[in-house]
Amino acid sequence: MMERRWFFLIAASVCLMLLSGCWSKRELNEIAITTAIGIDRVDDKYKLTIQVINPSEVSSKQMTTRTAVSTYTAVGDSMFETIRRLTTLTPRQAYMSHIRNIVFSEEMAAEGIGKVLDFLSRDHEMRTDFYLTVAKDMEAEDLLKVLTPLERIPAQKTYSSINTSEENWSAVQSIQISDVISTMISKGNNAVLTGLRVVGNPEEGSKLTNVEKVDSPAQIRVDELAVFKRDRLVGWLNEEESKGYNYILGNVKSTAEYAPCKNPEQGGITLELFNATNKMKADVKGEHPKVSVSIDVKAAIADVECALDLSKPAEVAKIEKQFEKIFVELMQSSIDAAQEDLQSDIFGFGDLIHRQEKHYWKSIEKEWDTIFPEIEVTLDAKVQIKRTGTTIDSFEKELEE
Amino acid sequence: MSRFFRSKRQNPQENSTTIKLYPSLQQNITHFKQTVGESTDIVIRTFKAGQTGSMDIAVLYTSGLVNNELVHDFILDTLMSEIRKTPLDAPAHKSKRYKTKHIEENGNKAYQLIKDYAMTGGNVTDIDTMEKLFLHVLSGDTVVMLDGSIQAMAIDTRGWESRGVEEPSTQSVVRGPKEGFTETLRTNTALLRRRIKDPNLWIRSKPIGSKSKTDVAVVYLHGVADEKVVKEVYHRLNKINIDAILDSGYVEELIQDETYTPFPTVYNSERPDTIAAGILEGRIAIVVDGSPFVLLVPALFVQFFQSAEDYFQRADFSTLIRLIRYMAFFLALLTPSVYIALTTYHQEMIPTSFLVSLSAQREGVPFPAFVEALLMEITFEILREAGVRLPKAVGSAISIVGALVLGQAAVEAGIVSSAMVIVVSLTAISSFVSPSFNFAISIRMLRFGFMSLAATLGLFGILFGLIILTLHLASLRSFGVPYLSPMAPFIGADQKDAILRFPRWKLTTRPRLINQSNMDREDAKAPKPEKRKRLNQRKEQE
């Protein structure tokens, strides 16, 4: 009896394992690792471009004459349908888990990205750690075709670029799908996406010669922020405005700021920021709600071209005052752009009021879009210069003496 | 199948060993000779002794098993020359009625006389049956038989050629004693006795095996070892019904709790220090003659991760090494299966750049990852087995063939990916980390199961397998003690010598489930310098 029972148990488990037939098994050489998807709009249809890695080109140590990535493009009625249609072009099934970037064309973004976001967040194969970007002044397809030196996978280059410049320059902001969805569905907030563009000649970018030259003819640049209202693109913040936006929201990790000397002919003075924190407060007593934003910046002097005696605290205090003004101007430019040109509450002031004055928010929630351009924003900046670097007097000053 | 075994077990005992010794010496010798088939290694020396030369004496021994000098100097010499002048019929002052009539009575008297006054051997046993006669002669004792006596005396003259005490070839240590057990039971018990000079160290032996009559000794610390477990060990040993025991492995297989498990429930070691430590914890050692591997029960899961050296090195270092062993256990068990699962089902869990290089390596590999892994694992197992069996001189050839030809060439030929070679070598190295060889074997067996689970069900399958494995381990018992203790059931006090190794002065109690009556070792205190205040106080007192 015992033997029979064991026999059946073993036979059953072997059958169970073999008959399942390794369901959904995919070997590594049966998948096309997709790193980026470009989404364009053509006559009410989606034009999808996927950027696929050629693994042996990427990790080979010898120089080859083949490109590290290939792109495939197909047109279809929905995202998923188009992805499946792509198999008519690709030898392997596109594998979406390792996507680094989703690139929308400006046209697509202006029409609304909500429907696409549904697919991106619904599909089980997608991880949620990719960045959403908008290609400025060009088709997403063309942007994905640009080859990049240093990082062989262009999507990886974009991803790393966004990360590094976010940490060291702070004029861009990395946006993941969860951020976008949560800001879009909120009435008192609007989304921004990272902008991408190609510097140089995009047509040259898709050729291998692009990475064979010291100075690549076409380079992908992470630049500016695309401003959305609901799910539609309404405009762009330029570099200064983007920086102001990040100051207001406290996103700045580290950056450099420049101010001219008292005597502008001498040049200027540059600060290296290493800490910036923000405080936002809403005041709803008046006719229109008021918002005050204050930032606290800690910085070190990185570069002095003026003749200054930095050993005197008074001089340092002067510099601090000068920069405080500059920061307020930066933020003001960003607020002006949002209130006047774009009329989109990208700062989440609505959410701020919602958090602070729940009942008041209920009364103005529906008219927020018209109220936002009218609200008064007071800006304040406090700069503390913590370090003056490893020298005290500037080289310029010593030259004069 | 089981009926077949049962019928064999019920066979009547074939020999008529309960025959008593005959009073007539001639009859005894004839019977003896017939039974041993005149084997040439058995020496039967008959001669006449005593004052009148009328007493027939026979000396029986197996040449090669006895120490010839002992036999000659203390037995033959004594009997043939030193008592030549002694009347053997009876003590001298009562020697009036001596002639041939009462041979039996006289024989017995003479036997007693020789045993009490003449025999200079140390260990003398009386034997009265043929069965015992054969056992003693064939195990190296010298038997002296007198005409007319229904008893014979067996003198311990064992002394055969044997291997000396050498460094054990398994479980070697950097620091610690380098003695290893040998094939001789007495040497082995002596090695244990030398480490525990306590009257409570009880060593009791008994021959097992209807043909081999192998001495099996049970060694334990009376009062420390759990009496119930000791009884259970005796019970299981008594139940053994087999013709021959050639190694302790036979005993292990016949007394273990569970046969159908990949995990050993009996610990074995070649190291006297390891076994002595086990005995001191209240475990029971089973020493089998002819095997340098001594068994230790009850054996627990954590025991197979402990090396003798853990206790000879510093506690912090030993803890680290032990953690590495546990890590290696999981590596050896799961590396290939996790690799298979990740590369065939869960590519999203691999970092992008690593995935790219993995898939570049797999470019052009014709087999699925599972087949690839199986191919390499089996190749490695073959290599390993070949390496063990080969004569030492050829051994290096195997490593060249294995490393160069199979490893490198297979990658270059595009049959396997180089990542797979790394996975297999990592697995192989990890499986050698376990201090216990038979535990490593169980890991190797389970690995294949996990690989097929990973190939069919991915990580889900691995988790499934791990759950089954845990359930199985939790259900195991070794002589009544849960195999996973002190983890399941959780025993806080025993954690100090399970995964971690606490400093020696913390190890003041014996494992709780092994030993229930006598828990405390000596209470050692943490060594610390005396406080100055107290030191001064003492000085003042003095």
Side-chain angles (χ1 to χ4, degrees), chain A residues 113-129:
Chain A
I113 59 171
K115 286 165 191 153
V116 177
L117 289 182
D118 180 80
F119 166 75
L120 294 179
S121 67
R122 192 184 295 279
D123 191 65
H124 68 92
E125 217 176 75
M126 301 269 188
R127 288 197 315 208
T128 55
D129 63 344

Side-chain angles (χ1 to χ4, degrees), chain A residues 289-337:
Chain A
K290 284 178 196 158
V291 173
S292 65
V293 179
S294 64
I295 60 166
D296 191 352
V297 173
K298 294 188 176 68
I301 292 174
D303 187 353
V304 181
E305 293 167 350
C306 328
L308 284 173
D309 187 3
L310 290 175
S311 61
K312 288 180 186 151
E315 289 278 4
V316 178
K318 262 187 208 164
I319 300 171
E320 283 174 352
K321 283 276 164 307
Q322 191 184 0
F323 272 100
E324 276 165 12
K325 232 170 153 188
I326 288 173
F327 285 126
V328 171
E329 277 165 19
L330 267 179
M331 291 189 285
Q332 191 60 53
S333 70
S334 177
I335 300 259
D336 288 347

Side-chain angles (χ1 to χ4, degrees), chain A residues 33 35 50-55 57-58 66-72 144-148 152-156 206:
Chain A
I33 304 165
T35 51
I50 58 169
Q51 191 183 73
V52 170
I53 298 178
N54 299 334
E57 304 309 317
V58 174
R66 293 195 290 174
T67 55
V69 291
S70 308
T71 57
Y72 296 97
L144 290 190
K145 281 180 182 166
V146 176
L147 289 172
T148 52
R152 284 182 157 187
I153 307 162
Q156 185 68 42
S206 64

Side-chain angles (χ1 to χ4, degrees), chain B residues 331-348:
Chain B
L331 278 181
L333 189 66
L334 296 177
T335 316
S337 43
V338 168
Y339 177 81
I340 292 169
L342 288 188
T343 55
T344 51
Y345 291 99
H346 313 282
Q347 291 95 349
E348 70 274 8

Side-chain angles (χ1 to χ4, degrees), chain B residues 187-240:
Chain B
T187 318
N188 293 351
T189 55
L191 285 170
L192 289 175
R193 181 69 82 180
R194 256 183 47 210
R195 281 171 175 78
I196 308 169
K197 299 180 192 72
D198 191 287
N200 286 324
L201 181 74
W202 286 10
I203 301 175
R204 286 197 242 168
S205 60
K206 140 186 177 66
I208 296 180
S210 60
K211 293 270 184 276
S212 71
K213 304 216 168 46
T214 312
D215 275 324
V216 174
V218 176
V219 187
Y220 63 96
L221 211 51
H222 177 69
V224 171
D226 193 349
E227 275 311 313
K228 273 184 272 173
V229 182
V230 176
K231 257 187 208 151
E232 183 63 28
V233 170
Y234 279 129
H235 177 66
R236 290 193 194 176
L237 285 176
N238 285 334
K239 269 194 355 197
I240 293 177

Side-chain angles (χ1 to χ4, degrees), chain B residues 167-294:
Chain B
E167 194 179 338
S169 53
T170 60
Q171 299 181 322
S172 47
V173 293
V174 176
R175 179 181 173 179
K178 311 251 173 182
E179 274 179 336
F181 285 122
T182 69
E183 280 77 6
T184 318
L185 180 86
R186 270 297 146 250
T187 318
N188 293 351
T189 55
L191 285 170
L192 289 175
R193 181 69 82 180
R194 256 183 47 210
R195 281 171 175 78
I196 308 169
K197 299 180 192 72
D198 191 287
N200 286 324
L201 181 74
W202 286 10
I203 301 175
R204 286 197 242 168
S205 60
K206 140 186 177 66
I208 296 180
S210 60
K211 293 270 184 276
S212 71
K213 304 216 168 46
T214 312
D215 275 324
V216 174
V218 176
V219 187
Y220 63 96
L221 211 51
H222 177 69
V224 171
D226 193 349
E227 275 311 313
K228 273 184 272 173
V229 182
V230 176
K231 257 187 208 151
E232 183 63 28
V233 170
Y234 279 129
H235 177 66
R236 290 193 194 176
L237 285 176
N238 285 334
K239 269 194 355 197
I240 293 177
N241 191 347
I242 194 174
D243 58 343
I245 301 272
L246 298 181
D247 184 81
S248 56
Y250 286 44
V251 177
E252 173 178 344
E253 209 173 327
L254 290 167
I255 65 168
Q256 66 192 357
D257 293 58
E258 182 79 54
T259 304
Y260 298 107
T261 172
F263 293 98
T265 52
V266 175
Y267 186 80
N268 69 66
S269 177
E270 226 181 334
R271 304 185 54 84
D273 49 339
T274 307
I275 298 293
I279 291 172
L280 288 168
E281 280 179 338
R283 293 177 215 268
I284 298 150
I286 300 164
V287 191
V288 176
D289 192 30
S291 170
F293 289 91
V294 174

Side-chain angles (χ1 to χ4, degrees), chain A residues 359-371:
Chain A
H359 299 292
Y360 179 77
W361 172 251
K362 287 273 176 214
S363 66
I364 59 158
E365 192 180 352
K366 292 208 173 96
E367 299 100 60
W368 178 245
D369 280 350
T370 52
I371 295 172

Side-chain angles (χ1 to χ4, degrees), chain B residues 51-62:
Chain B
Q51 206 171 22
T52 52
S54 60
M55 176 57 82
D56 284 318
I57 295 182
V59 173
L60 294 80
Y61 62 89
T62 311

